[in-house]
Amino acid sequence: ADSGMFQYSIGKETACRMLRVTLSDQMQLFPEVSGSPQRFTIRFLTWPDVHSRPVQTSENVEFALSIC
């Protein structure tokens, strides 16, 4: 995910019901997924402390993605 964001378009003929995002245990990030039946976006966020809002990382993120 370049600069913490990944976008993907799904063909109309492909049925997608579930996404699985897998990250290394060492990463202090969590994924935020949004989308529609034809495309989705994954942003990887970090949460510095409970007194602030999560922010998107500016680093490139290596992850595994399964589309079912």
Side-chain angles (χ1 to χ4, degrees), residues 30-46:
F30 65 94
E32 175 188 71
V33 180
S34 61
S36 68
Q38 281 78 41
R39 68 181 139 265
F40 62 88
T41 300
I42 303 171
R43 294 188 329 138
F44 291 95
L45 307 174
T46 183

Side-chain angles (χ1 to χ4, degrees), residues 3-68:
S3 299
M5 188 170 81
F6 176 80
Q7 294 181 317
Y8 188 81
S9 294
I10 302 167
K12 290 183 180 183
E13 66 283 347
T14 304
C16 175
R17 300 223 177 243
M18 182 172 62
L19 302 174
R20 180 173 57 193
V21 178
T22 305
L23 293 168
S24 166
D25 290 341
Q26 305 303 314
M27 297 188 141
Q28 298 295 312
L29 301 171
F30 65 94
E32 175 188 71
V33 180
S34 61
S36 68
Q38 281 78 41
R39 68 181 139 265
F40 62 88
T41 300
I42 303 171
R43 294 188 329 138
F44 291 95
L45 307 174
T46 183
W47 195 5
D49 61 60
V50 296
H51 302 291
S52 61
R53 302 186 94 183
V55 293
Q56 182 176 323
T57 185
S58 60
E59 302 293 320
N60 292 343
V61 179
E62 229 178 275
F63 69 101
L65 176 65
S66 299
I67 302 173
C68 305

